[in-house]
Amino acid sequence: MEPSHHIEPDAEAPLDFIRQIVAEDVQSQKHGGRVITRFPPEPNGYLHIGHAKSICLNFGIARDFNGVCNLRMDDTNPTKEDVEYVDSITADVQWLIQGWADQVLAFKRAGDPTGTGVLLNQADGQKLEPFYASDYFPQIYEFALELIRKGRAYVCDLSPEDTDAYRGSPDRPGRESPFRNRSIEENLDLFQRMKAGEFPDGARTLRAKIEMGSPNIWLRDPVLYRIRHADHHHTGSQWCIYPMYDFAHCLSDYLEGVTHSICTLEFEVHRPLYDWILEALELPRALPHQHEFARLNLAYTVMSKRKLLQLVNEGRVVGWNDPRMPTLSGMRRRGYPAAAIRAFCEKVGVAKRENIIDMALLEFCVREELNRTSRRMMGVLKPLKVILLNYPEDQVEPLEAVNNPEDPAAGIRQVPFSREIFIEQDDFREIPPPKYFRLTPGGEVRLRYAYIIKCVEVIKNAQGEVTELHCTADLDSKSGGATSNRKVKGTIHWVSAPHAVRAEVRLYDRLFTVEQPDADAEGRDFKSFLNPQSLETLRDCRLEPALEKAAPGEGYQFERLGYFHVDPIDSQPGRPVFNRTVTLRDSWAKIDQPSSRGPSRR
Ligand code: ATP
Ligand code: MG
């Protein structure tokens, strides 16, 4: 698949095809005009940017149609799931929809086993928790007994391998299990004994009795229940049989009164089974309907939780919330605003055709949001000392700097200026390339908010490396001053050396070197495409003094360098750690591409 590079935002887009269906259902008073959606992650990993698309769709529809959306842990697989994941998922969903759709997020009262939810804003101080499919295990078990009584499910003694072999393949019909025609009484007895723990894992399953000759493989007597002697993060040791996804999902939707069960395209082939189960049970209430859309794929990363877990377990990243990860917690730590992720999901849109989205679209959305909201600051990542020979030694001038040109209400601040400053090493070249408008020997440049300076002497160490510059300042050339309107081509940022705050700054690049790390034609593991340069740590950065009090979770634009976010985990008081969220798009990057400025963007 070719990545799509050109996605135009379309503010007046017509309703996507799922919203069209919902609008028609509301119009025709299906489900009494009500809309209940759900977001059903399996708590076997952290949420990623793909999940964000599903969250935005499900919560967005509830929001647009006056409905509610349940957050439900789809937790039918005890061995892979954990409360750590439940907690992270809950926090990530709330973060992503905060201020946008939190009013439609339905939770349930703690300990309430039924499917009735309450909206978070009507909680009245009660403890709320997400829905759990595992809370419905008793009801789902009853539904299984009911299917057996109706002659539509049976206990099968085939081994897992034989069950697979008997199922056939899309071009090969299945064979009926020799246990298919057990009596209802025998099935009831065996199923109850499965639940009572009389049989080991894999000894028996409960299967739907549908059609072994069906062209749809999911209708060839699918397994509904399996034996798994394992503790469950939410139900403890209560159960040793667990329902399969296909059996639990439609029934959980039904029990919660879900009207539109929205999922990704790979479930399209499961839809006949979804409908079969609900219809076979002859249920009294209106049934939910499943609708499928294309999943989000993003270039230069992986999104399978299994693969992300490997990166975490093998120490290839610092954790699920590593700022390079495509997880929501990683993106939050890196400084991606929730609003930018939502804007990205909106631009990607909802359709039935899969494609691969370029990371540049996500970065575009992040920049747009941060440009509007971030205060500007000055910071020097790779410092080079500059002494202004004609500037008085003990003088400190408070210069006025604009906090955010996009937002006049953000006001101005004072930045101290003195005789000794730091500039960026990359802003000086002894032998400048063509069209280099920064500082050169004998050349002039403007210091942002301050004076025009001229380099008069270059100091080097024994290795011939530049260690210090001696300059003179044109003291009549102060920015905004009336005495001089002299212009020079370049303007660079700086910090006053005695006032500067020391900080660590982490620069990030793509986690993988290839667009689709999953597609390893030569049979290579996806991890062989990890980018060894995805993290660069700069430990001696100097920032303007206002940043000494930067609080964890705050973000700033460092002028000319990009957007930076205080790392909430590794920052110490007085010694902040900043993550570069995203670079700026700027013209001089084309002239000269020092490593600290990250990779070229197409
Ligand atoms: P994985 O296969 O990595 O475990 P998953 O699809 O099984 O991922 P779930 O926790 O089951 O993950 O997903 C919860 C919901 O999010 C499902 O409805 C699923 O369809 C949706 N979802 C998951 N990945 C994406 C994606 N890349 N784009 C859009 N929706 C997604
Ligand atoms: Mg899944």
Side-chain angles (χ1 to χ4, degrees):
M1 271 180 290
E2 275 299 297
S4 31
H5 299 292
H6 308 288
I7 293 184
E8 289 303 318
D10 187 354
E12 305 205 328
L15 292 186
D16 61 67
F17 80 98
I18 294 191
R19 280 181 170 84
Q20 273 173 34
I21 293 168
V22 176
E24 281 159 24
D25 291 347
V26 169
Q27 185 84 48
S28 69
Q29 289 290 303
K30 195 170 171 181
H31 298 281
R34 275 180 323 139
V35 173
I36 301 183
T37 58
R38 86 287 171 266
F39 173 64
E42 181 176 1
N44 61 351
Y46 282 55
L47 296 182
H48 53 60
I49 183 77
H51 292 114
K53 180 175 177 183
S54 176
I55 294 169
C56 288
L57 185 59
N58 279 296
F59 284 91
I61 285 175
R63 174 180 179 268
D64 294 352
F65 293 93
N66 260 319
V68 298
C69 181
N70 296 352
L71 170 59
R72 181 203 309 149
M73 300 300 148
D74 199 350
D75 56 347
T76 56
N77 190 1
T79 52
K80 295 217 166 90
E81 299 165 0
D82 199 275
V83 282
E84 177 196 346
Y85 301 134
V86 172
D87 294 343
S88 74
I89 289 168
T90 308
D92 286 350
V93 168
Q94 290 188 273
W95 172 74
L96 188 62
I97 67 171
Q98 179 68 46
W100 174 68
D102 35 345
Q103 71 278 12
V104 301
L105 170 58
F107 273 31
K108 67 184 182 64
R109 294 187 172 85
D112 178 357
T114 69
T116 43
V118 288
L119 292 175
L120 209 51
N121 56 359
Q122 299 168 357
D124 303 330
Q126 299 165 74
K127 189 174 177 326
L128 295 178
E129 58 183 3
F131 295 83
Y132 293 89
S134 59
D135 276 345
Y136 312 135
F137 283 169
Q139 288 111 303
I140 293 171
Y141 176 73
E142 289 300 323
F143 284 129
L145 292 174
E146 185 60 21
L147 279 186
I148 296 173
R149 281 188 220 107
K150 288 177 183 295
R152 312 205 67 174
Y154 61 95
V155 172
C156 178
D157 302 358
L158 287 180
S159 68
E161 299 74 34
D162 285 345
T163 308
D164 274 352
Y166 273 61
R167 188 177 295 118
S169 57
D171 51 352
R172 201 159 40 83
R175 275 187 296 144
E176 291 192 355
S177 160
F179 306 98
R180 200 171 196 260
N181 295 313
R182 277 179 160 146
S183 70
I184 290 173
E185 290 66 36
E186 190 183 1
N187 281 321
L188 284 174
D189 174 62
L190 285 172
F191 187 53
Q192 281 157 348
R193 286 166 60 196
M194 279 168 64
K195 173 175 183 271
E198 288 188 27
F199 313 117
D201 288 4
R204 291 194 157 91
T205 56
L206 182 73
R207 297 177 67 178
K209 194 172 187 174
I210 309 181
E211 172 63 72
M212 288 311 287
S214 170
N216 182 336
I217 210 152
W218 299 100
L219 294 180
R220 295 183 190 171
D221 290 10
V223 173
L224 303 179
Y225 261 96
R226 64 208 187 295
I227 301 171
R228 189 74 107 249
H229 290 270
D231 280 3
H232 184 282
H233 67 95
H234 192 62
T235 59
S237 56
Q238 249 179 298
W239 296 87
C240 64
I241 55 170
Y242 290 93
M244 302 299 287
Y245 168 89
D246 282 315
F247 194 50
H249 203 90
C250 55
L251 291 171
S252 302
D253 285 344
Y254 173 77
L255 289 168
E256 291 177 8
V258 165
T259 58
H260 298 81
S261 180
I262 300 164
C263 59
T264 36
L265 279 177
E266 69 271 23
F267 292 102
E268 194 169 11
V269 286
H270 297 238
R271 179 157 28 99
L273 177 56
Y274 184 103
D275 292 338
W276 184 92
I277 293 168
L278 294 175
E279 280 157 21
L281 283 164
E282 299 173 284
L283 296 162
R285 299 199 318 253
L287 302 182
H289 281 277
Q290 180 182 301
H291 307 275
E292 308 88 13
F293 69 100
R295 62 171 44 229
L296 171 70
N297 301 300
L298 200 58
Y300 291 98
T301 193
V302 294
M303 281 205 271
S304 139
K305 284 185 273 186
R306 185 178 55 80
K307 289 181 176 163
L308 295 174
L309 180 63
Q310 273 185 57
L311 298 178
V312 173
N313 283 347
E314 295 177 18
R316 309 291 187 120
V317 292
V318 299
W320 285 97
N321 63 355
D322 187 300
R324 293 166 292 181
M325 291 278 270
T327 53
L328 295 183
S329 52
M331 291 182 174
R332 176 165 69 237
R333 182 171 175 188
R334 180 157 168 170
Y336 285 19
I341 295 175
R342 297 197 306 260
F344 169 71
C345 291
E346 176 148 3
K347 284 196 197 332
V348 166
V350 179
K352 275 241 180 214
R353 205 170 61 88
E354 284 217 15
N355 57 7
I356 302 177
I357 305 295
D358 200 296
M359 199 68 101
L361 182 67
L362 179 54
E363 293 190 341
F364 168 83
C365 295
V366 171
R367 274 192 202 99
E368 283 236 305
E369 179 70 17
L370 292 178
N371 180 46
R372 283 196 305 107
T373 56
S374 299
R375 286 183 56 175
R376 275 56 171 171
M377 290 281 170
M378 288 196 288
V380 171
L381 300 188
K382 293 180 178 167
L384 173 61
K385 173 77 76 68
V386 172
I387 301 190
L388 301 172
L389 301 173
N390 63 331
Y391 196 87
E393 243 175 84
D394 42 12
Q395 183 170 312
V396 179
E397 264 182 287
L399 299 180
E400 292 198 334
V402 178
N403 282 331
N404 183 354
E406 304 291 320
D407 176 15
I412 54 165
R413 70 182 185 287
Q414 294 188 325
V415 186
F417 184 81
S418 68
R419 177 183 162 89
E420 293 194 9
I421 60 172
F422 289 111
I423 66 166
E424 209 69 68
Q425 287 170 18
D426 294 325
D427 283 338
F428 172 77
R429 281 284 180 283
E430 208 173 2
I431 302 160
K435 293 194 180 165
Y436 185 84
F437 298 129
R438 290 168 275 160
L439 200 56
T440 58
E444 285 190 318
V445 76
R446 177 175 286 286
L447 297 176
R448 182 87 163 129
Y449 305 118
Y451 303 95
I452 294 171
I453 61 168
K454 177 180 197 161
C455 176
V456 295
E457 193 183 1
V458 180
I459 314 294
K460 296 182 183 175
N461 62 16
Q463 289 78 48
E465 298 158 345
V466 178
T467 54
E468 199 171 287
L469 300 178
H470 290 175
C471 295
T472 53
D474 173 354
L475 296 175
D476 285 332
S477 67
K478 194 150 115 185
S479 293
T483 48
S484 162
N485 53 11
R486 212 152 67 75
K487 287 207 159 54
V488 291
K489 278 208 162 151
T491 298
I492 63 173
H493 60 274
W494 52 274
V495 294
S496 167
H499 301 93
V501 185
R502 283 168 189 259
E504 178 176 318
V505 173
R506 299 169 182 169
L507 308 179
Y508 300 104
D509 193 1
R510 299 186 166 109
L511 195 48
F512 291 91
T513 54
V514 297
E515 221 155 59
Q516 295 178 63
D518 300 86
D520 36 352
E522 285 107 63
R524 272 181 297 179
D525 183 70
F526 76 101
K527 284 170 290 178
S528 58
F529 303 113
L530 277 165
N531 175 6
Q533 263 110 45
S534 60
L535 168 64
E536 184 183 0
T537 303
L538 303 172
R539 294 206 166 75
D540 189 33
C541 307
R542 310 299 171 99
L543 311 178
E544 73 171 80
L547 287 168
E548 188 180 352
K549 295 199 172 61
E554 283 178 3
Y556 298 90
Q557 184 193 104
F558 292 177
E559 294 203 33
R560 300 178 63 232
L561 295 175
Y563 296 95
F564 293 78
H565 193 78
V566 183
D567 191 276
I569 294 162
D570 296 335
S571 292
Q572 303 286 329
R575 175 86 197 189
V577 173
F578 279 89
N579 298 317
R580 184 169 63 193
T581 309
V582 67
T583 53
L584 298 173
R585 226 191 305 261
D586 50 1
S587 56
W588 66 268
K590 289 196 202 87
I591 303 166
D592 170 343
Q593 191 81 75
S595 61
S596 68
R597 302 191 56 83
S600 58
R601 309 280 162 190
R602 282 164 301 164

